Amino acid sequence: MMISTRGRYALRVLLDLAEHAKEGFVPMKDVAKRQGISLKYLERIIPVLVKHGIVDGVQGKGGGYRLVKEPEELKIGDILRLTEGDLAPVACLACDATPCEREYECRTYPMWVEFYRVINEFFDSKTLADIIRTDPADNYSI
């Protein structure tokens, strides 16, 4: 399983909005510049976040976007499922999958089910606030 740029960039946008929340509505061009992400690409991600009530926006002078919820309320798992779809590691576990005819004889199925559970529990145990509190200096290697 690989998280796409869509999911990773959505997290970066939300982190940026959280870190600049005191500024009110933050112009997306400012976020794009700070994050080094194409504004056009962000314009494809933002509507999903607006539609699901994570951010709201105002157009015109002084416009931009802001978080609707507090960073502590935004689970990373929810954000990734919105932007990535299901986080299933194999097709037979996807939400819309037809039940696999081999499910009861497949020796690998229980492993995939457990891995899927671990993925969801991990991402659902983290919030945007947890990431904000992480010191980037802690992630360096020699």
Side-chain angles (χ1 to χ4, degrees), residues 5-135:
T5 54
R6 184 175 174 92
R8 294 190 332 262
Y9 289 0
L11 290 173
R12 286 171 54 188
V13 166
L14 294 174
L15 285 167
D16 193 286
L17 292 176
E19 290 171 339
H20 293 89
K22 291 180 179 162
E23 299 169 23
F25 287 92
V26 180
M28 200 47 45
K29 66 181 173 95
D30 294 352
V31 175
K33 185 176 181 181
R34 281 191 296 266
Q35 295 300 318
I37 303 171
S38 157
L39 180 58
K40 279 200 174 292
Y41 196 78
L42 292 184
E43 288 170 345
R44 292 175 34 209
I45 296 171
I46 286 292
V48 173
L49 302 174
V50 170
K51 178 181 175 183
H52 289 91
I54 295 174
V55 301
D56 66 351
V58 172
Q59 293 187 354
K61 186 175 172 100
Y65 294 90
R66 68 176 179 184
L67 292 179
V68 173
K69 298 179 179 181
E70 293 297 319
E72 294 80 10
E73 299 175 81
L74 295 171
K75 290 181 183 177
I76 301 304
D78 292 337
I79 297 163
L80 290 176
R81 282 185 288 273
L82 282 177
T83 55
E84 296 290 320
D86 196 344
L87 298 176
V90 291
C92 62
L93 291 178
C95 290
D96 59 352
T98 304
C100 179
E101 59 190 50
R102 299 194 69 238
E103 176 181 334
Y104 298 105
E105 61 191 60
C106 179
R107 297 175 102 182
T108 63
Y109 184 76
M111 174 190 66
W112 294 124
V113 169
E114 184 178 358
F115 182 55
Y116 187 37
R117 180 188 54 77
V118 169
I119 290 168
N120 283 290
E121 284 178 3
F122 176 79
F123 285 128
D124 288 339
S125 73
K126 306 285 183 205
T127 66
L128 203 59
D130 294 327
I131 297 173
I132 291 169
R133 285 189 287 266
T134 303
D135 184 352

